[in-house]
Amino acid sequence: AQSVTQLGSHVSVSEGALVLLRCNYSSSVPPYLFWYVQYPNQGLQLLLKYTSAATLVKGINGFEAEFKKSETSFHLTKPSAHMSDAAEYFCAVSNAGKSTFGDGTTLTVKP
Amino acid sequence: KAGVTQTPRYLIKTRGQQVTLSCSPISGHRSVSWYQQTPGQGLQFLFEYFSETQRNKGNFPGRFSGRQFSNSRSEMNVSTLELGDSALYLCASSLGRGTNEKLFFGSGTQLSVL
């Protein structure tokens, strides 16, 4: 069985501030972990994925995530928020063709 | 290369009716999966098709069904619609069924049941 928990359904930061979106996972096998972003009225786009090659994963738009096995976490960060980062972000774990998504975190960026 | 295409973009139906949603995956992709997204439940997995066979199924009633054609295009059908079926239905495609396969999502079909 696998599951994903995203802590905080809403996160608000000021433009230029650090973005930290939290994700904890549960998986009975070594996990493959993903972060997706969804802009209003659009489908999901892949930000980055962890596939055990490196614990620090760099994605698009300046985002990165660090896999910490001891904490079963895969938090998403960005050093400096931009207005265009405002969206909903989903963490997901994948196994055997089935992806399980967290409930999502809505990121608001204040000017 | 064209992305994942879902049609129609919006649908309005009444209770008791049935609906068919269509998904065209990226060319060469053989796996298609469907998700239901609602504000209250988030993203929930419906089913996955690969090579015209359903490989995985989520926890949805039998009113939700799907199929995949030989060209990998997929359709999802919901019969006897209920108000609670109002949601954004997302289709995603991937090259294969590997665990670390990247999913490519369509923009979704927004279904409203009145």
Side-chain angles (χ1 to χ4, degrees):
Chain A
Q2 59 191 28
S3 65
V4 173
T5 302
Q6 289 184 241
L7 298 173
S9 58
H10 290 85
V11 170
S12 180
V13 301
S14 298
E15 192 173 18
L18 170 72
V19 175
L20 170 61
L21 305 181
R22 300 177 187 275
C23 172
N24 288 88
Y25 69 91
S26 169
S27 175
S28 56
V29 297
Y32 289 90
L33 297 161
F34 303 78
W35 274 100
Y36 290 87
V37 59
Q38 185 177 30
Y39 297 104
N41 300 313
Q42 294 186 27
L44 278 71
Q45 299 174 32
L46 179 70
L47 270 178
L48 50 81
K49 67 176 182 179
Y50 167 74
T51 59
S52 77
T55 56
L56 183 62
V57 183
K58 293 189 183 297
I60 61 172
N61 301 339
F63 284 93
E64 61 183 37
E66 186 173 8
F67 172 71
K68 291 186 177 180
K69 184 177 179 180
S70 60
E71 299 176 9
T72 60
S73 68
F74 191 56
H75 301 332
L76 181 71
T77 60
K78 182 174 180 177
S80 177
H82 191 271
M83 297 297 290
S84 61
D85 294 328
E88 189 162 17
Y89 292 80
F90 293 89
C91 182
V93 59
S94 176
N95 181 30
K98 179 179 174 181
S99 290
T100 302
F101 290 80
D103 290 338
T105 298
T106 299
L107 176 66
T108 302
V109 182
K110 299 175 292 185
Chain B
K1 203 175 201 182
V4 178
T5 304
Q6 290 187 246
T7 56
R9 187 76 178 87
Y10 299 95
L11 263 179
I12 299 176
K13 294 285 187 179
T14 55
R15 279 182 300 173
Q17 288 186 308
Q18 78 162 28
V19 67
T20 299
L21 313 182
S22 179
C23 172
S24 293
I26 291 172
S27 178
H29 284 196
R30 297 173 62 194
S31 175
V32 173
S33 49
W34 289 87
Y35 296 83
Q36 182 195 64
Q37 185 180 23
T38 59
Q41 299 295 324
L43 264 171
Q44 292 186 287
F45 173 77
L46 278 156
F47 27 65
E48 182 219 357
Y49 286 87
F50 182 82
S51 293
E52 302 176 63
T53 302
Q54 187 180 90
R55 305 288 179 152
N56 262 309
K57 191 177 192 304
N59 191 25
F60 279 81
R63 300 185 297 107
F64 291 81
S65 63
R67 58 179 175 169
Q68 187 180 33
F69 302 95
S70 58
N71 62 357
S72 294
R73 191 177 71 85
S74 177
E75 287 182 347
M76 190 192 106
N77 186 278
V78 187
S79 62
T80 321
L81 283 166
E82 300 177 359
L83 295 178
D85 298 333
S86 295
L88 178 67
Y89 290 88
L90 290 165
C91 163
S93 75
S94 61
L95 270 172
R97 299 196 66 237
T99 298
N100 75 342
E101 287 285 349
K102 184 168 74 173
L103 296 177
F104 293 81
F105 283 81
S107 296
T109 293
Q110 184 68 56
L111 172 64
S112 297
V113 182
L114 308 177

